[in-house]
């Protein structure tokens, strides 16, 4: 059974909470939040995904609203009951993984297990420089963070001696708190990392149906090469609610689709935004919360 989620970026926490509350009622599967910590003035870094349509031509602009996704998702969890809480993507290499573990466990526990931890290695070099994190080692740092996070989520006591982090035995949480790791990125190294380490994958940008098929086909080939099997959701952003276009993705086994929230959550008033999102949900055939309860 496929899913339809929403991807949001550049909104305030209050706007995200309002959006999530309505999306939860209407039956959208997940709300995926993008993130950057700040906008470096006059940055020159370029997003690594070439050839794929980018929804935001300038990803961190002077008027871009930036929010902490865990604070936003904690607020969202308080007013929703079933929508999943995703990050697309969280640059985990910018933080110590034990701090990330603490935040993710807290939101996972409070939300009743709805977190989808989407991870990216990062591309904005100036962001790394300001935080004192070596940019060139971000890939190995990301992999080490994932390893530490999974040990933190296990509920067990553990120590670590790695390339980037070393600490004596400790316990982050007294109980196991499993959280799926969704690795993002379309480049060959990113696809290989997702196939090798991830529980799922999230496409960067907004691939066309043909591009999405190529990416997912390569992921499936890589997973077979790494000897990995089982369920592996592939979340792909799409540019339209047109059922015929969505059917093209699903005809190729791409069942977990994500729409840009700012193309549907539009209007000058809360009522108008809700009407527009409701119209989209109806077109997509989503099950409202009332429908789900009555069945």
């Amino acid at each position: 059974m496929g899913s339809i989620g929403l991807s949001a970026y550049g909104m305030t926490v209050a706007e995200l909470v309002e959006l999530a509350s309505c999306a939860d009622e209407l039956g959208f599967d997940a709300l995926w939040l993008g993130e950057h910590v700040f906008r470096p003035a006059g940055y020159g870094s370029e997003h690594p995904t070439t050839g794929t349509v980018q929804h935001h031509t300038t990803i961190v602009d002077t008027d871009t609203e930036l929010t902490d996704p865990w604070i936003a998702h904690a607020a969202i969890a308080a007013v929703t009951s079933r929508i999943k809480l995703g990050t697309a993507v969280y640059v985990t290499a910018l933080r110590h993984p034990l701090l990330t573990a603490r935040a993710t466990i807290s939101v996972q526990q409070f939300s009743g297990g709805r977190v989808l931890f989407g991870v990216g290695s990062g591309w904005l070099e100036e962001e790394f420089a300001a935080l004192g994190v070596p940019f060139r080692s971000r890939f190995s740092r990301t992999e080490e963070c994932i390893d530490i996070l999974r040990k933190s989520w296990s509920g067990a006591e553990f120590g670590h001696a790695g390339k980037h982090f070393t600490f004596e035995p400790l316990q982050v949480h007294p109980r196991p708190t499993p959280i799926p790791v969704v690795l993002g990125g379309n480049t060959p190294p990113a696809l290989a990392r997702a196939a090798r380490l991830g529980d799922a994958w999230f496409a960067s940008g907004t691939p066309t149906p043909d591009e999405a098929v190529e990416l997912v086909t390569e992921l499936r080939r890589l997973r077979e090469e790494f000897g990995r099997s089982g369920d592996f959701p592939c979340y792909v952003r799409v540019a339209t609610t047109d059922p015929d276009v969505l059917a093209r993705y699903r005809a190729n086994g791409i069942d977990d689709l994500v729409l840009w929230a700012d193309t549907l959550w539009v209007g000058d008033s809360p009522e108008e935004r809700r009407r527009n999102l409701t119209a989209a949900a109806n077109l997509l055939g989503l099950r409202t919360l009332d429908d789900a309860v009555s069945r």
Side-chain angles (χ1 to χ4, degrees):
M1 179 64 179
S3 69
I4 296 285
L6 295 170
S7 183
Y9 177 69
M11 297 183 184
T12 67
V13 172
E15 290 170 328
L16 291 169
V17 170
E18 182 187 7
L19 164 64
S21 177
C22 184
D24 187 54
E25 294 172 6
L26 293 172
F28 286 93
D29 178 71
L31 179 60
W32 300 86
L33 305 185
E35 73 113 16
H36 283 284
V37 181
F38 48 78
R39 180 190 66 86
Y43 69 90
S45 299
E46 294 184 1
H47 196 280
T49 303
T50 56
T52 300
V53 173
Q54 293 296 322
H55 186 65
H56 302 90
T57 53
T58 303
I59 295 177
V60 190
D61 211 343
T62 53
D63 59 353
T64 302
E65 293 283 353
L66 300 176
T67 58
D68 184 305
W70 303 120
I71 292 175
H73 273 323
I76 288 167
V79 300
T80 59
S81 62
R82 59 176 182 165
I83 195 167
K84 297 183 182 70
L85 314 174
T87 51
V89 289
Y90 189 78
V91 187
T92 189
L94 290 174
R95 293 90 166 177
H96 196 292
L98 292 177
L99 296 176
T100 302
R102 178 74 281 142
T104 53
I105 289 170
S106 296
V107 177
Q108 184 73 323
Q109 292 276 321
F110 180 58
S111 69
R114 290 187 276 148
V115 170
L116 296 170
F117 184 56
V119 180
S121 298
W123 59 272
L124 187 53
E125 185 170 359
E126 294 85 349
E127 196 171 28
F128 281 77
L131 293 171
V133 178
F135 183 70
R136 295 183 67 177
S137 64
R138 67 195 184 280
F139 300 115
S140 62
R141 188 179 178 95
T142 297
E143 293 197 15
E144 193 169 334
C145 284
I146 291 170
D147 178 42
I148 293 169
L149 282 163
R150 283 181 164 144
K151 291 174 180 175
S152 300
W153 298 332
S154 74
E157 183 180 287
F158 72 101
H160 184 83
K163 180 178 179 180
H164 304 289
F165 306 99
T166 299
F167 48 84
E168 296 300 315
L170 53 79
Q171 182 185 39
V172 180
H173 198 68
R175 297 176 301 282
T177 310
I179 298 175
V181 175
V182 185
L183 284 168
N186 300 1
T187 64
L191 294 176
R193 191 177 305 111
R196 179 167 50 89
L197 296 177
D199 301 308
W201 171 73
F202 197 107
S204 181
T206 311
T208 66
D210 289 341
E211 290 170 340
V213 170
E214 289 182 11
L215 291 165
V216 171
T217 299
E218 176 63 5
L219 270 168
R220 291 170 178 161
R221 185 193 70 79
L222 287 166
R223 278 177 54 80
E224 184 175 349
E225 184 177 294
F226 289 127
R228 301 197 64 200
S229 59
D231 187 40
F232 188 79
C234 292
Y235 298 97
V236 175
R237 292 192 188 99
V238 295
T240 178
T241 56
D242 186 332
D244 292 336
V245 176
L246 302 188
R248 289 181 59 193
Y249 290 90
R250 289 185 165 144
N252 288 282
I254 303 173
D255 295 323
D256 296 296
L257 306 178
V258 181
L259 292 155
W260 284 104
D262 61 9
T263 65
L264 307 177
W265 185 250
V266 292
D268 296 327
S269 67
E271 294 75 20
E272 186 178 2
R273 290 190 289 272
R274 283 179 170 269
R275 282 197 301 272
N276 287 328
L277 193 62
T278 300
N282 291 337
L283 178 63
L284 295 163
L286 301 185
R287 288 174 57 192
T288 68
L289 187 56
D290 288 342
D291 289 339
V293 170
S294 65
R295 294 188 181 185

